[in-house]
Amino acid sequence: MSYTIDGETGPWELVIGLEVHAQVTSNAKLFSGAATEFGAEPNSQVSFVDAGFPGMLPVINRECVAQAVRTGLGLNAQVNPWSRFDRKNYFYADLPQGYQISQFAHPIVGTGVITVELSDGGTKEIGITRLHLEQDAGKSIHDQHATKSFIDLNRSGVALMEIVSEPDMRSPEEAGAYLTKLRQILRYLGTCDGNMEQGSLRADVNVSVRKAGEGFRTRCEVKNVNSIRFVMQAVEAEARRQIEVWESGGTVDQETRLFDTSRGTTRSMRSKEDAHDYRYFPDPDLPPLVVDPAWIEELRAGLPELPDARRTRYVNDFGLSAYDASVLTAEKETASFYEEVAAGRDPKVAANWVTGDFFAMLNRLGKGIEDSPVSAKHLGALLDLIADKTLSGKMAKEVLEAMGETGEAPGTIVERRGLRQVTDTGAIEAAVDAIIAANPDKVAQYKAKPTLFGWFVGQVMKAMKGQGNPALVNEVLKAKLDA
């Protein structure tokens, strides 16, 4: 069912496109050898090129180009063997050159497509218009002094991939699903860390509304939204604002707006510039970028398994449900952790433990999988102790809790706490006999009320301090009560 917003004049359809700026994972900037480490001291990672000193010439970073090509291949997009850098001219205090080097007319990556999964179980293809490389600006700081502003050029010249989608999305959910999937692909490829809190990934959200069957109306751009949740909220807020404008007889102006996360509204930032306002022209210091097709194929051959393929493999080869496969492949680190746990073991049992008790333990500890106190090796060892009947499922949960607290191997905890499961049928029979002998009235009641069986199981397990093998306890108890 299509998503619409009801106004006073009836339903309105949303038209959404995203321009995502993804910082290229690279040790050096796009046109200089300066470092790109996040959080470094201000102006400690600035070359003469980044500072716009006269006479300094940019030199393209081969690894940044490789990362753009890998991303294009991961987005099922056309990689252009010939592309060109242009100067995008505009004045800004933290743009020392007075222009940004970007790829306006001839991007390195052309059209592509990614498939997103929606909450109703359906999928939708979202078109990619282009991916081009460009350099980031520096950062203006206005809150450190009453009358002065400061400039940090550490980000100046950092390589960005601007990934522009087609206006194919029709709801906040689709916009969120698209950004989620794009971030997932980038992280699998290792071409962007996807850290939105640190500004490594941020989205400009283009929104317009229209009546069913209409062409496109004027769109507005909501600038620099830095979380998936905020993107979805910004879409909803901006669409409702535009509907109100249209229905009150007004006209939506093409402009750039900002999303106020505390109020859940958008506000005007500036009128939207057109391309001619930037006076683009080819950068005279950089020759056209020519990429050898053989190198593109070499990079293609080195691509990792991407999330869609990995999810399909989990369903087909491991027999997992589509939901479990989706959860386990959501993050590359989680998938790698799971595969190490599952190696040589029952993949479904491994999936149940990873997505169940292990994730629950991480949530309680407030930790992510990257800093988990329980390693994949130790979790696998715990599953081995269940498989060889050393531990019951209940005892294994207790051991996992202890592993989370201490980081110790499960075998160490089992030995120290004496948690080995009792599988000796003689010992189990003795415990069962004792309980039956001590409770003749309950035995009599059981004959008329078999549901009392659970009570006997509880008594035997209590007598054995929880260490009796549950299957054997049930088997022996059943035989003796029904004899």
Side-chain angles (χ1 to χ4, degrees), residues 105 130 151 163 167 241 257 271 353 387 449 451 473:
R130 58 189 279 141
I151 305 291
I163 304 166
R241 184 193 73 83
R257 301 180 68 84
S271 62
W353 273 88
K449 191 178 179 183
T451 53
V473 167

Side-chain angles (χ1 to χ4, degrees), residues 62-78:
R62 179 182 171 91
E63 177 58 18
C64 292
V65 176
Q67 293 288 53
V69 172
R70 292 186 186 103
T71 303
L73 296 172
L75 297 176
N76 302 307
Q78 174 66 43

